[in-house]
Amino acid sequence: METTIPTAATRPTRRLVRLLTVLAATVATLLGWVVAVPLAGVDLTARTGSDVQRVTPVAVAVSTLLAGLSGWALLALLERLTARARTVWTVVAGLVLLVSLLGPLSGGVGGAATLTLVAYHLVAGTVLITGLRRGAAA
């Protein structure tokens, strides 16, 4: 088994790629919110238990940031624990994306809201998975 230790030059590059990936996913979902809610007029609401809440841009940004930072943390941990971190992380991230779709599919109020929330999950997941995977150790 061969272990590669990143040089001092590659660590900042990886961090930058990962940071830009998390920010890109956040910007992408926020742009989706702007297109869907103010421009297209989607009433973006979701059920949370017995309550119905509006999905605000703050909620979109915070949830995307949390997902991105969590993915980044898991990838960093896996890189310390296994030589196959990229593969393991990609499988886990794909499964997490699939499970995350259960939220909007069961909680979206109305067809437009459900479709919009599913699209947010898919956009964020696609950006995060491809970007973080690209910045992972080979």
Side-chain angles (χ1 to χ4, degrees), residues 88-101 125 129:
V88 172
W89 183 85
T90 303
V91 169
V92 170
L95 292 172
V96 168
L97 174 59
L98 289 174
V99 170
S100 81
L101 292 174
I129 290 170

Side-chain angles (χ1 to χ4, degrees), residues 23-69:
L23 293 176
T26 304
V27 168
T29 54
L30 282 172
L31 285 174
W33 185 91
V34 168
V35 168
V37 178
L39 295 178
V42 173
D43 182 20
L44 198 54
T45 53
R47 267 184 224 85
T48 55
S50 60
D51 295 333
V52 173
Q53 292 185 306
R54 287 206 181 286
V55 178
T56 65
V58 172
V60 170
V62 168
S63 60
T64 306
L65 281 171
L66 288 175
L69 294 173

Side-chain angles (χ1 to χ4, degrees), residues 9-21:
T10 60
R11 284 187 189 123
T13 303
R14 279 193 195 146
R15 282 189 201 120
L16 182 60
V17 166
R18 292 172 186 186
L19 176 63
L20 291 175
T21 296

Side-chain angles (χ1 to χ4, degrees), residues 109-138:
V109 178
T114 300
L115 183 62
T116 302
L117 292 170
V118 166
Y120 291 167
H121 282 244
L122 292 174
V123 166
T126 301
V127 171
L128 290 171
I129 290 170
T130 57
L132 291 175
R133 179 173 163 56
R134 183 176 303 127

